[in-house]
């Protein structure tokens, strides 16, 4: 950041005073709280979080220093306000993939195409989007998730939200826009999977990773000797030696 854009020392000091004021207000709201979900406490919490985040940013910009505070991000779910005994549930799942090996993806789609007399017209497996349509039409999403490497896919982030409802939706009610009416306050629980978490774990275990890494390499070598019995172990569709596909893990 250039000197012209840097905050002044006075601005950093003012931000620190704002944190102190917000902290006092938060404590006062907690002391006067009328219940577990007192809106005054909720508002004071948000004000304190915003003040602390502003101070943290100014402190870093001015002095290249940080605070020990962990500020909740905007994706933090609000308190649950749904029914105590839900009679219906919706499970929202998103899984991201990268197409790491298009040729493997299309080779798997050709196998589906050859085995299915009702498959789309010839050539659907010759494009990536056509191959994806064939595979996701043939296999359940959970099976693709567990066998993604066989299909030439690489896992990205994924998330699963369980939301509560008072009653089940009418058939066909939300199919046109399945994720538009999600109420964050009715989320019972959520589970996130991300490479970000793996990186944090790896950073904490670098010192004792040598022996574990060797053990994992041996395990991968053993697993790679197993093949899916449905796959041709010798030749691919073009008559070339097929690459050995990794077994399900």
């Amino acid at each position: 950041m250039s000197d012209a854009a840097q905050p002044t020392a006075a601005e950093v000091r003012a931000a620190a005073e704002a944190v102190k004021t917000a902290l006092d207000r938060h404590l006062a709201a907690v002391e006067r709280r009328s219940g577990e979900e007192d809106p005054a406490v909720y508002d004071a919490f948000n004000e304190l979080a915003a003040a602390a985040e502003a101070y943290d940013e100014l402190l870093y910009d001015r002095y290249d220093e940080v605070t020990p505070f962990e500020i909740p991000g905007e994706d933090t779910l609000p308190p649950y306000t749904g029914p105590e005994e839900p009679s219906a549930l919706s499970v929202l799942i998103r899984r991201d993939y990268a197409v790491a090996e298009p040729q493997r993806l299309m080779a798997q789609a050709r196998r589906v195409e050859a085995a299915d007399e009702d498959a789309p017209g010839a050539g659907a497996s010759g494009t990536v989007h056509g191959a994806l349509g064939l595979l996701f039409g043939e296999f359940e999403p959970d099976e693709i998730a567990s066998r993604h490497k066989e299909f030439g896919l690489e896992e990205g982030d994924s998330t699963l939200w369980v939301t509560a409802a008072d009653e089940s939706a009418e058939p066909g009610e939300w199919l046109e826009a399945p994720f538009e009416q999600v109420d964050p306050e009715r989320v019972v629980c959520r589970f996130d999977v991300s490479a970000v978490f793996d990186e944090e774990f790896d950073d904490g275990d670098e010192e004792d990773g040598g022996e574990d890494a060797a053990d994992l390499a041996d395990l991968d070598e053993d697993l790679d000797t197993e093949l899916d019995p449905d796959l041709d172990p010798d030749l691919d569709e073009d008559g070339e030696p097929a690459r050995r596909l990794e077994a399900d893990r």
Side-chain angles (χ1 to χ4, degrees):
M1 179 177 287
S2 67
D3 292 339
Q6 280 187 340
T8 65
E11 288 175 326
V12 179
R13 173 63 62 181
E17 293 299 328
V19 173
K20 297 175 187 177
T21 300
L23 189 61
D24 288 338
R25 290 176 179 171
H26 181 260
L27 177 58
V30 170
E31 290 173 337
R32 297 192 305 266
R33 73 189 311 161
S34 59
E36 291 186 2
E37 297 181 4
D38 189 329
V41 175
Y42 186 73
D43 292 341
F45 173 89
N46 288 334
E47 290 175 8
L48 177 57
E53 184 173 14
Y55 170 63
D56 192 80
E57 291 178 356
L58 291 173
L59 186 71
Y60 181 80
D61 291 343
R62 177 68 184 182
Y63 299 110
D64 196 24
E65 188 57 72
V66 296
T67 68
F69 308 134
E70 182 177 350
I71 309 302
E74 294 182 357
D75 60 345
T76 301
L77 291 173
Y80 175 75
T81 61
E84 288 299 321
E85 298 182 3
S87 58
L89 294 175
S90 290
V91 180
L92 311 176
I93 302 175
R94 171 173 171 170
R95 296 187 180 112
D96 282 6
Y97 299 97
V99 180
E101 299 180 74
Q103 295 304 318
R104 174 173 287 194
L105 175 76
M106 291 187 286
Q108 290 281 29
R110 285 196 295 270
R111 292 184 175 93
V112 172
E113 206 170 36
D116 187 359
E117 297 179 353
D118 298 325
S125 61
T127 63
V128 170
H129 74 273
L132 288 169
L134 281 168
L135 292 175
F136 277 87
E138 177 70 15
F139 300 100
E140 294 290 335
D142 286 345
E143 184 171 4
I144 290 179
S146 65
R147 301 174 57 188
H148 62 278
K149 290 185 179 180
E150 293 181 28
F151 301 127
L153 302 176
E154 181 179 309
E155 282 185 316
D157 288 358
S158 66
T159 187
L160 181 152
W161 293 27
V162 179
T163 66
D166 296 309
E167 58 184 17
S168 299
E170 294 294 329
E173 181 178 344
W174 48 260
L175 294 180
E176 292 299 321
F179 304 114
E180 279 190 357
Q181 299 180 355
V182 179
D183 184 351
E185 294 187 352
R186 288 188 167 231
V187 175
V188 177
C189 56
R190 62 179 287 182
F191 304 94
D192 299 322
V193 177
S194 174
V196 172
F197 307 143
D198 295 337
E199 290 168 3
E200 292 175 354
F201 179 79
D202 291 342
D203 290 343
D205 292 335
E206 281 183 355
E207 294 182 359
D208 46 271
E211 191 172 315
D212 290 342
D215 291 341
L216 288 174
D218 293 340
L219 178 60
D220 283 343
E221 184 176 349
D222 292 340
L223 290 174
D224 284 341
T225 62
E226 302 177 16
L227 289 176
D228 189 320
D230 296 333
L231 301 180
D232 186 348
D234 299 319
L235 299 177
D236 63 14
E237 295 291 329
D238 299 321
E240 297 295 331
R243 296 184 60 181
R244 185 176 295 272
L245 301 184
E246 297 189 37
D248 293 349
R249 287 180 171 84

